[in-house]
């Protein structure tokens, strides 16, 4: 099972058109504001001897940070343009990058066969999926983690919707970087707070920890304050 070609093409075109400078993408904030703040939530759950898969790595900003903390880090993304950019932005090869359709069970199984059980870091991917693909994405995460790995997942909370709508409907329209997302037809979908853990439980994982932490963006309001989007996080894995 593969994601729709239209969805895939939307992401390809987004990354082909995205600015190359640091912070040029709405969610591509400095790791000090993103992954570094996430580490305390999953450090005690991740087996440091396992590889880490940054699922939906984009241009690899957070992947490279994770590579400074774990021995083997692999960034995967649906868009070939994103993977190409991640490789160019990592001239010293601190991490690995490859294209992966994470709702393609066969492709995920091949990766798991290659690298074994892994820890998964996934930020903002589930709500960007087509609704019919979300369960398969969670199954893909469960397949990658196997029996020993754990998954750290961050997704927009229900409270994000009015924030995003307010930004989109401002007198000057949405901020430029948010507008670029809408323009490519990849506007975030809705995933209820209650449904988030259910996707992973249905895939056979136990929710081991959860909480709230805003998604820090690279955009600012007219008064100079950084835009942050309400988000939920969880750690999941098999305990039996």
């Amino acid at each position: 099972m593969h994601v729709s070609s239209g969805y895939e093409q939307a992401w390809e075109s987004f990354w082909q058109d995205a600015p190359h400078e640091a912070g040029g993408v709405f969610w591509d904030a400095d790791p000090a504001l993103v992954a570094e703040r996430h580490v305390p939530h999953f450090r005690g759950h991740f087996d440091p001897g396992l590889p880490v898969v940054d699922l939906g790595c984009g241009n690899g900003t957070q992947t490279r940070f994770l590579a400074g903390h774990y021995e083997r880090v692999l960034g995967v993304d649906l868009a070939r343009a994103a993977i190409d950019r991640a490789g160019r932005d990592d001239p010293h090869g601190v991490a690995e990058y490859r294209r992966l359709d994470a709702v393609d069970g066969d492709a995920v199984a091949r990766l798991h066969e290659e690298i074994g059980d892994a820890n998964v870091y996934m930020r903002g991917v589930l709500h960007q999926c087509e609704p019919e693909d979300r369960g398969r994405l969670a199954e893909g995460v469960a397949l990658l983690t196997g029996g020993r790995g754990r998954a750290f997942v961050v997704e927009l909370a229900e409270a994000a919707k009015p924030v995003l709508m307010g930004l989109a409907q401002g007198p000057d329209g949405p901020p430029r970087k948010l507008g670029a997302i809408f323009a490519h037809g990849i506007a975030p979908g809705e995933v209820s707070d209650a449904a988030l853990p259910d996707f992973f439980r249905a895939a056979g994982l136990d929710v081991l920890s959860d909480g709230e932490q805003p998604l820090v963006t690279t955009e600012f309001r007219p008064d100079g304050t950084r835009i942050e989007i309400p988000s939920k996080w969880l750690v999941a894995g098999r305990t039996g």
Side-chain angles (χ1 to χ4, degrees), residues 24-39:
V25 173
F26 186 65
W27 57 81
D28 191 34
D30 187 282
L33 301 174
V34 186
E36 186 172 341
R37 295 183 180 182
H38 292 154
V39 168

Side-chain angles (χ1 to χ4, degrees), residues 35-84:
E36 186 172 341
R37 295 183 180 182
H38 292 154
V39 168
H41 301 316
F42 62 73
R43 181 190 289 118
H45 295 279
F46 279 19
D47 180 340
L50 298 181
V52 175
V53 175
D54 182 4
L55 200 163
C57 68
N59 59 349
T61 299
Q62 311 307 321
T63 320
R64 292 186 290 278
F65 172 84
L66 293 170
H69 292 74
Y70 293 91
E71 184 174 348
R72 184 182 185 186
V73 177
L74 173 63
V76 301
D77 201 280
L78 175 65
R80 172 62 61 187
I83 292 302
D84 290 345

Side-chain angles (χ1 to χ4, degrees), residues 6-7 9-11 13-14 26-27 124-131 134 155-156 160-161 164-165 168 174 177-191 215 229:
Y7 176 78
Q9 186 53 48
W11 279 106
S13 65
F14 174 83
F26 186 65
W27 57 81
V125 177
L126 193 73
H127 75 269
Q128 292 284 11
C129 280
E130 300 287 359
R134 290 173 184 154
E155 293 293 334
L156 299 188
K161 182 176 180 179
L164 291 170
M165 289 182 64
K177 297 171 191 174
L178 180 59
I181 299 172
F182 296 146
H184 284 84
I186 51 176
E190 294 184 45
V191 177
L215 172 69
I229 310 297

Side-chain angles (χ1 to χ4, degrees), residues 29-225:
D30 187 282
L33 301 174
V34 186
E36 186 172 341
R37 295 183 180 182
H38 292 154
V39 168
H41 301 316
F42 62 73
R43 181 190 289 118
H45 295 279
F46 279 19
D47 180 340
L50 298 181
V52 175
V53 175
D54 182 4
L55 200 163
C57 68
N59 59 349
T61 299
Q62 311 307 321
T63 320
R64 292 186 290 278
F65 172 84
L66 293 170
H69 292 74
Y70 293 91
E71 184 174 348
R72 184 182 185 186
V73 177
L74 173 63
V76 301
D77 201 280
L78 175 65
R80 172 62 61 187
I83 292 302
D84 290 345
R85 184 175 299 204
R88 289 195 301 271
D89 290 348
D90 187 1
H92 301 294
V94 300
E96 305 168 54
Y97 308 94
R98 67 181 70 176
R99 184 192 173 279
L100 179 73
D101 177 353
V103 304
D104 181 343
D106 292 339
V108 175
R110 287 193 295 271
L111 178 59
H112 180 259
E113 183 177 358
E114 175 189 340
I115 68 174
D117 290 356
N119 298 310
V120 175
Y121 177 85
M122 188 173 81
R123 182 174 65 108
V125 177
L126 193 73
H127 75 269
Q128 292 284 11
C129 280
E130 300 287 359
E132 62 271 20
D133 287 334
R134 290 173 184 154
R136 288 190 287 269
L137 175 63
E139 291 168 1
V141 170
L143 184 54
L144 287 171
T145 59
R148 297 188 298 146
R150 299 290 185 262
F152 177 77
V153 177
V154 183
E155 293 293 334
L156 299 188
E158 289 180 36
K161 182 176 180 179
V163 175
L164 291 170
M165 289 182 64
L167 292 170
Q169 297 171 358
D172 298 321
R176 177 177 59 86
K177 297 171 191 174
L178 180 59
I181 299 172
F182 296 146
H184 284 84
I186 51 176
E190 294 184 45
V191 177
S192 72
D193 294 346
L196 175 59
D198 286 347
F199 280 114
F200 295 95
R201 292 187 180 113
L205 301 181
D206 301 308
V207 175
L208 309 175
S209 184
D210 59 20
E212 301 180 7
Q213 186 165 321
L215 172 69
V216 177
T217 78
T218 59
E219 281 281 19
F220 295 83
R221 300 181 187 276
D223 64 3
T225 58

